[in-house]
Amino acid sequence: MTQDEALQIVYRALERLNEELDTPVDITPHTQLFGADAVIDSLSLVSVIVDVEAEASEAIGQPVSLTDDRAINQPVSPFRDPQTLAAYIVSLQG
């Protein structure tokens, strides 16, 4: 899976989330998903992560876990923004 393909998976998860939100969030590579400036709450982030895991697992053909110790111990949170999350998904293939 390429970085762009992974980013599209994250975007689709955010689009599905936007369908449920009263105030949709802007979807860009740098939309803050985690941290003090996050545009979504923690429950919404969990929903996005679950959607991304499911679609990425299907695309790669093997289970993808984004919430294991490896993710938590990254120097920069892989959940910071869509671009960072996509890069983390690609790194899991190695």
Side-chain angles (χ1 to χ4, degrees), residues 6-80:
L7 187 59
Q8 293 307 312
I9 289 172
V10 177
Y11 283 172
R12 284 190 291 274
L14 288 168
E15 289 167 358
R16 287 188 291 272
L17 175 67
N18 270 345
E19 293 172 2
E20 300 172 10
L21 297 176
D22 293 330
T23 306
V25 299
D26 289 332
I27 301 172
T28 72
H30 304 291
T31 299
Q32 283 294 128
L33 302 178
F34 181 76
D37 296 325
V39 296
I40 59 176
D41 61 25
S42 58
L43 188 57
S44 295
L45 179 60
V46 169
S47 176
V48 168
I49 290 169
V50 168
D51 280 356
V52 169
E53 283 179 334
E55 190 170 342
S57 294
E58 186 175 318
I60 294 172
Q62 64 185 25
V64 171
S65 177
L66 300 175
T67 56
D68 60 8
D69 288 340
R70 181 176 173 193
I72 304 305
N73 292 319
Q74 295 291 307
V76 174
S77 172
F79 310 114
R80 184 179 63 193

